[in-house]
Amino acid sequence: MSIEVNNIKFSYGRIQALDGVDLSLPGGAVGLLGPNGAGKSTLIRILLGFLVPDEGDGDIFGFDIRTRQTDIRRLIGYMPEDDCLIPGMDAVSFTSYLGELSGMPRQEAMKRAHEVLYYVGLEESRYRLLQTYSSGMKQRLKLAQALVHDPQLLFLDEPTSGLDPQGRKEILELILDISSKKNIQILISSHILSDIELTCSYVVILDKGRIASRGEIDALRRMDYSLYELRIKGGKETFLQDLNGFGYQIEEMEDGLIRIYVPSDRTPRDILETAVGRDVQIRHFVRSRSSLEDLFAKVVGAD
Amino acid sequence: MSIKEKGYTHWDGELESRRFPWSPIMRSGIRLTFKKKFFKLFFFLNLIPAVVYLAGIYISERLEDFEFMIREASMPFKVNPAYFNSFLSGDYLLFMIVMILVFAGAGLIADDLKHNSLQLYFSRPLKKRDYFMGKTSIVFFFLLIVTLVPGLVLFLMKLIFAGNFKFIQDYPWLPLSIIGYSVLLTAFFACYALFLSALSRNSRYVAVMTFGMYLFSDILYAIFNGIFRKPAFALMSIKANLQQIGAAFFGVKLPYDVPWMYSFVLLVLFCGVAVIFLSRRVRGVEVVR
């Protein structure tokens, strides 16, 4: 396991940002999901050593996150969410500078800066001043600086924010390429569920500072509930009230579609029996393949 | 060609554990400062006092060549520790040092705060002290070039022009005074620049503060001294405090009738406060509790 943390607690004054987080992450690409304020960024900042946890311990590649931060930072690359640059520099000097700060020899850092800038698609504008870069270019640049020293683990904080659809697609392609073919582990924090679904095989869902769910995305889809979609005619309110009473979670879509999460101790047959009991016609009834969004809504209770 | 096709290759080198991990910060900071408009001009203007004082040393040693200028009058100056003190703590040099700080010091931390780049530094194998060392070394580089280097060169030139070692026999401690005072001056101004630079995210405000605080402290001294006629008000002035310590270092009469130790303690206290403030202000991430 590359990352392991036990009972991590952290508070900002009275606000408990992380409340006993235990994690043991596998290799590959891992998605960190959660609504705003769930504690995703706080967790990443603790792993980077920016914040010291109030309680708990952990290690990355066997190095203690409290005492061996310098060793950890040699092995990781970090792409922050905010725009960050050093004014007066162009992309090549910026990237090679950060490579040098990571411990690369000067000449090697310069050579490598050209390579990674080429890789992220900034080869044409690598000598332009960073202040003149668009949001999409800054996003690519942040990825380049995170990759320059060839880390073993990448922390990507909202990697596609501020990108147009084409730029987003290209960055996601890069992330997929890095995680699947280049043997670099990735931890992606994002609120864009489809990005996580596309790039990650394992997901950790945080809610209110606690881990709400975690596991392989495919396994999570199968766990605990199954999702059915149906359309009905007549007696909708009483029918849905009854299902709610039985512990089903229900979502009503705008187009009249009803999505029902069936708990593991119930069967879809119960839905049909309830409909018969309430004299409701079922016009459409299919089992749906649950998406990460469904899982997220189910776990976090968000719309 | 799509990005994916370009391929990512692993780097087969090994990361070094540098003895001075802050050296890239220093190198890059110096390079970026020299790129600033008018900086080179200001920087070289700082060397004017050194040239003037060098001419003074030459004249003092080749008096016979300049008899037509001096005529009957006695030599207008003497090259002694007071001469070096007046070079290193002269009004012009101190003022120009502040001007260097306006260019080279204002953005040191303010720009990193404004552009969120602290997290880039601290996601690298750098400690907070490496970051500060890197930033401080930029100020040290520029200020030592206009204080320590010309100070020692003047001393050497005095020996060369004299053609003997009498000067060093008379004042064997003088090189140490030059080194000590230059380093102290530079250390104080480094704390001053970094402290002010961390106060704001806007380097222009910091530039105004750097210049304004130096000038304002002197004006304040002049006003209070004018009203109350007490030399102790010299302690309010940055310039006066530095000149007091300079006089103590070179063993010459103090310019203000206040113990130089008071000035020294004041400046050390200021540096202490600056260091505490900086260590709290500069973090990989801002935490509001």
Side-chain angles (χ1 to χ4, degrees):
Chain A
M1 298 291 171
S2 53
I3 301 177
E4 269 195 78
V5 293
N6 307 308
N7 192 32
I8 292 284
K9 291 185 181 176
F10 186 85
S11 63
Y12 297 100
R14 287 182 183 175
I15 299 162
Q16 192 73 36
L18 291 177
D19 190 10
V21 171
D22 290 296
L23 266 185
S24 184
L25 296 183
V30 175
L32 197 54
L33 270 177
N36 289 339
K40 307 185 296 286
S41 297
T42 305
L43 181 60
I44 287 189
R45 286 164 182 175
I46 285 175
L47 295 175
L48 279 164
F50 291 170
L51 299 173
V52 180
D54 300 332
E55 274 181 50
D57 51 50
D59 58 66
I60 298 178
F61 295 119
F63 294 115
D64 192 310
I65 56 168
R66 283 175 184 271
T67 56
R68 305 287 298 274
Q69 291 162 356
T70 313
D71 296 305
I72 291 171
R73 289 176 195 163
R74 281 182 197 288
L75 303 174
I76 60 169
Y78 174 50
M79 177 183 176
E81 180 183 1
D82 317 304
D83 275 352
C84 40
L85 51 91
I86 296 172
M89 282 190 176
D90 56 39
V92 174
S93 49
F94 174 80
T95 312
S96 67
Y97 174 52
L98 290 167
E100 271 190 80
L101 287 178
S102 297
M104 296 177 82
R106 203 171 165 196
Q107 299 294 329
E108 291 283 314
M110 180 58 79
K111 194 176 146 210
R112 177 83 180 155
H114 285 278
E115 283 174 19
V116 289
L117 287 169
Y118 187 73
Y119 178 64
V120 300
L122 285 177
E123 71 274 19
E124 298 291 333
S125 39
R126 65 197 144 154
Y127 291 113
R128 257 173 66 181
L129 283 179
L130 301 184
Q131 297 97 302
T132 65
Y133 270 30
S134 67
S135 308
M137 292 163 88
K138 284 178 187 166
Q139 209 67 7
R140 286 160 188 261
L141 181 71
K142 284 192 289 177
L143 183 58
Q145 65 78 28
L147 284 170
V148 67
H149 57 295
D150 193 25
Q152 293 180 31
L153 172 64
L154 260 184
F155 289 153
L156 308 177
D157 203 353
E158 304 287 354
T160 56
S161 75
L163 293 178
D164 57 31
Q166 182 59 27
R168 183 169 158 257
K169 184 175 163 271
E170 289 182 353
I171 286 280
L172 290 175
E173 272 182 19
L174 275 173
I175 295 171
L176 259 179
D177 185 50
I178 293 165
S179 66
S180 59
K181 295 181 189 163
K182 311 301 178 193
N183 199 25
I184 295 178
Q185 296 177 38
I186 297 184
L187 179 65
I188 307 173
S189 160
S190 177
H191 67 278
I192 304 173
L193 303 177
S194 56
D195 287 359
I196 299 280
E197 203 161 22
L198 187 73
T199 52
C200 303
S201 53
Y202 192 94
V203 70
V204 175
I205 301 177
L206 278 175
D207 186 36
K208 294 174 189 134
R210 290 168 182 271
I211 290 182
S213 185
R214 70 181 133 184
E216 298 286 337
I217 292 181
D218 288 341
L220 283 176
R221 281 191 184 118
R222 290 191 298 271
M223 264 169 49
D224 296 336
Y225 69 94
S226 31
L227 176 63
Y228 288 86
E229 289 178 353
L230 57 155
R231 291 180 198 278
I232 59 171
K233 189 178 176 189
K236 183 172 151 190
E237 278 186 22
T238 48
F239 171 64
L240 295 183
Q241 268 175 11
D242 283 356
L243 289 179
N244 249 331
F246 295 143
Y248 295 91
Q249 197 170 324
I250 296 158
E251 259 185 83
E252 284 187 73
M253 313 305 283
E254 281 177 2
D255 58 356
L257 190 76
I258 299 168
R259 290 155 68 91
I260 300 179
Y261 297 93
V262 180
S264 51
D265 58 340
R266 293 270 173 185
T267 63
R269 190 176 178 82
D270 299 334
I271 299 175
L272 300 174
E273 285 170 0
T274 309
V276 171
R278 284 292 177 184
D279 205 18
V280 168
Q281 282 183 26
I282 293 186
R283 297 282 183 90
H284 170 87
F285 188 91
V286 290
R287 180 164 184 169
S288 170
R289 179 181 176 274
S290 54
S291 67
L292 190 57
E293 198 171 342
D294 302 323
L295 174 70
F296 185 76
K298 173 81 170 50
V299 170
V300 177
D303 293 331
Chain B
M1 178 166 46
S2 81
I3 292 170
K4 215 169 162 182
E5 284 159 3
K6 290 171 186 168
Y8 175 91
T9 48
H10 285 289
W11 178 59
D12 53 7
E14 238 177 73
L15 296 177
E16 299 171 339
S17 289
R18 286 201 184 88
R19 194 167 168 201
F20 303 115
W22 45 267
S23 57
I25 301 179
M26 178 188 173
R27 222 173 23 238
S28 147
I30 292 168
R31 207 178 52 232
L32 287 177
T33 308
F34 271 120
K35 274 188 182 173
K36 286 183 181 165
K37 257 187 189 172
F38 305 121
F39 176 74
K40 283 177 196 158
L41 176 71
F42 268 99
F43 189 62
F44 288 111
L45 283 179
N46 269 277
L47 297 174
I48 290 177
V51 175
V52 172
Y53 275 76
L54 182 64
I57 290 174
Y58 182 76
I59 290 170
S60 74
E61 291 300 334
R62 295 280 185 273
L63 203 54
E64 63 276 13
D65 299 343
F66 297 93
E67 272 173 350
F68 69 97
M69 286 170 71
I70 301 169
R71 295 180 189 274
E72 301 291 305
S74 60
M75 187 65 192
F77 55 82
K78 204 177 162 198
V79 178
N80 55 14
Y83 185 81
F84 283 85
N85 177 46
S86 73
F87 164 66
L88 284 172
S89 57
D91 288 358
Y92 178 82
L93 187 67
L94 292 180
F95 177 79
M96 289 311 282
I97 284 176
V98 174
M99 292 308 292
I100 289 183
L101 295 184
V102 166
F103 280 98
L108 281 179
I109 296 177
D111 282 344
D112 288 343
L113 291 171
K114 184 179 177 184
H115 296 284
N116 299 312
S117 35
L118 285 176
Q119 52 190 333
L120 294 177
Y121 285 101
F122 294 121
S123 61
R124 257 68 205 181
L126 279 183
K127 296 194 170 100
K128 219 187 245 188
R129 87 165 168 250
D130 298 323
Y131 175 79
F132 286 128
M133 283 298 291
K135 297 291 180 181
T136 308
S137 61
I138 299 167
V139 180
F140 264 71
F141 173 82
F142 289 116
L143 297 200
L144 290 181
I145 284 184
V146 297
T147 55
L148 178 66
V149 174
L152 290 176
V153 168
L154 288 179
F155 184 80
L156 271 175
M157 295 313 276
K158 168 70 184 165
L159 295 180
I160 291 169
F161 289 147
N164 58 52
F165 292 102
K166 187 172 180 307
F167 189 67
I168 200 167
Q169 281 163 353
D170 291 344
Y171 308 108
W173 44 267
L174 192 55
L176 286 179
S177 295
I178 294 169
I179 294 169
Y181 184 61
S182 300
V183 170
L184 184 134
L185 198 67
T186 304
F188 166 73
F189 275 121
C191 289
Y192 177 75
L194 292 184
F195 172 71
L196 293 180
S197 185
L199 280 180
S200 169
R201 289 168 172 266
N202 188 326
S203 58
R204 286 184 186 172
Y205 292 157
V206 177
V208 172
M209 277 195 285
T210 306
F211 186 69
M213 205 168 138
Y214 177 79
L215 214 61
F216 183 68
S217 71
D218 212 34
I219 292 169
L220 216 57
Y221 157 63
I223 292 171
F224 278 92
N225 190 45
I227 297 169
F228 300 105
R229 297 275 164 211
K230 284 194 175 173
F233 285 111
L235 295 173
M236 298 173 94
S237 160
I238 294 172
K239 184 179 84 182
N241 282 310
L242 290 169
Q243 289 175 336
Q244 282 286 86
I245 296 170
F249 261 83
F250 289 95
V252 299
K253 188 176 176 296
L254 297 178
Y256 306 94
D257 193 15
V258 191
W260 67 271
M261 208 32 145
Y262 289 1
S263 296
F264 183 76
V265 169
L266 260 180
L267 296 189
V268 169
L269 270 177
F270 175 83
C271 290
V273 170
V275 169
I276 292 169
F277 173 76
L278 285 167
S279 64
R280 285 166 184 256
R281 175 83 163 131
V282 173
R283 294 162 183 260
V285 60
E286 277 191 62
V287 180
V288 182
R289 285 189 189 249

